[in-house]
Amino acid sequence: MMIAIPGVLSGRALDHVRTLVTGAEWIDGNATSGHQSALAKKNRQLPEDDAAAREAGGLILDALGATPLFIAAALPLKVYPPLFNRYGGGEHFDTHVDNAIRLKRGTDFRIRSDLSATLFLADPDSYDGGELVVEDTLGTHQVKLAAGDMILYPASSLHHVTPVTRGERLCSFFWIQSMVRDDGARRTLFDLDTAIQAVGADRGQDDPAIIKLTGVYHNLLRRWADA
Ligand code: NI
């Protein structure tokens, strides 16, 4: 499932994250790449242990925790500490698939990447190109969102970032291990959840049918989730 999550960051929090990361020391994006992506990738990243990057990443994790649409869609078990990249002057990232398992160097933190996330930090009018292009079974999707908005997409998909031909694309990116590993099961739970919310808004959350459907949601989650 691919879903845009609007307004993960806005106002002061967005400005704060941007100020922190733009003032930090950027390095070649290939410093942390595996062999295949090193061939495909041409961009810059912040080192994972950079203090400003960690502070900005913490702000993003706080914002995610306060975003119900993210929680409902991702059913997160673990979130990789957010990373940051920027592209300008023709930089791009050719077609690749993200690693299935991500280890955080120097720690025992590891996650299975079920979902990939890109949180856009630059105003889309401030740069040309830099679309995230995701290929799935329904075709090709081009994504370029407002600053503060995020796209969630299956980490199993092939994807690339088109060359940035004017200005700079600034993003945070990271991975999520979901409590529900299977994309189809997660999608079904999300559809059920949003339908219950919509009908509950009309009929009241104390409507007996809504209470029963809410029970169905939780009982499916109990069957399918690892917590
Ligand atoms: Ni990728």
Side-chain angles (χ1 to χ4, degrees), residues 1-220:
M1 164 169 88
M2 208 172 156
I3 184 171
I5 318 271
V8 171
L9 288 177
S10 59
R12 273 219 212 121
L14 176 60
D15 288 343
H16 192 181
V17 166
R18 284 202 287 222
T19 303
L20 281 168
V21 300
T22 50
E25 191 98 2
W26 292 78
I27 57 171
D28 186 322
N30 281 321
T32 59
S33 298
H35 177 67
Q36 192 218 340
S37 59
L39 296 174
K41 181 157 70 165
K42 182 88 190 71
N43 68 4
R44 285 151 293 147
Q45 278 180 216
L46 284 184
E48 291 194 32
D49 56 0
D50 179 273
R54 280 163 58 171
E55 186 180 348
L59 293 171
I60 291 170
L61 292 177
D62 289 346
L64 290 174
T67 305
L69 183 57
F70 168 73
I71 305 290
L75 297 170
L77 178 63
K78 295 191 233 178
V79 181
Y80 196 89
L83 303 174
F84 297 89
N85 61 20
R86 66 201 301 182
Y87 296 74
E91 287 174 324
H92 58 91
F93 198 162
D94 292 337
T95 301
H96 65 281
V97 66
D98 292 346
N99 286 351
I101 306 292
R102 302 291 310 200
L103 308 166
K104 191 157 168 47
R105 268 186 214 168
T107 74
D108 57 4
F109 184 90
R110 57 189 278 151
I111 77 170
R112 183 188 67 234
S113 60
D114 295 322
L115 289 158
S116 296
T118 297
L119 171 57
F120 290 77
L121 295 172
D123 186 331
D125 294 335
S126 70
Y127 62 98
D128 290 332
E131 285 88 2
L132 170 68
V133 183
V134 179
E135 299 170 29
D136 70 10
T137 50
L138 296 175
T140 295
H141 310 274
Q142 292 221 15
V143 184
K144 185 172 180 175
L145 301 179
D149 291 4
M150 184 173 90
I151 188 82
L152 265 184
Y153 59 101
S156 55
S157 64
L158 290 172
H159 54 273
H160 66 273
V161 176
T162 65
V164 173
T165 54
R166 176 187 65 89
E168 283 229 324
R169 177 194 198 263
L170 177 67
C171 286
S172 175
F173 66 102
F174 48 92
W175 302 273
I176 297 107
Q177 180 170 341
S178 178
M179 291 187 286
V180 177
R181 179 181 196 153
D182 181 74
D183 194 65
R186 200 181 321 112
R187 164 101 223 191
T188 299
L189 285 166
F190 179 69
D191 288 344
L192 179 58
D193 186 13
T194 49
I196 291 170
Q197 302 296 331
V199 178
D202 282 345
R203 297 175 61 156
Q205 295 297 336
D206 55 353
D207 181 280
I210 295 295
I211 292 169
K212 201 164 184 176
L213 283 169
T214 303
V216 170
Y217 174 84
H218 284 284
N219 290 332
L220 285 174

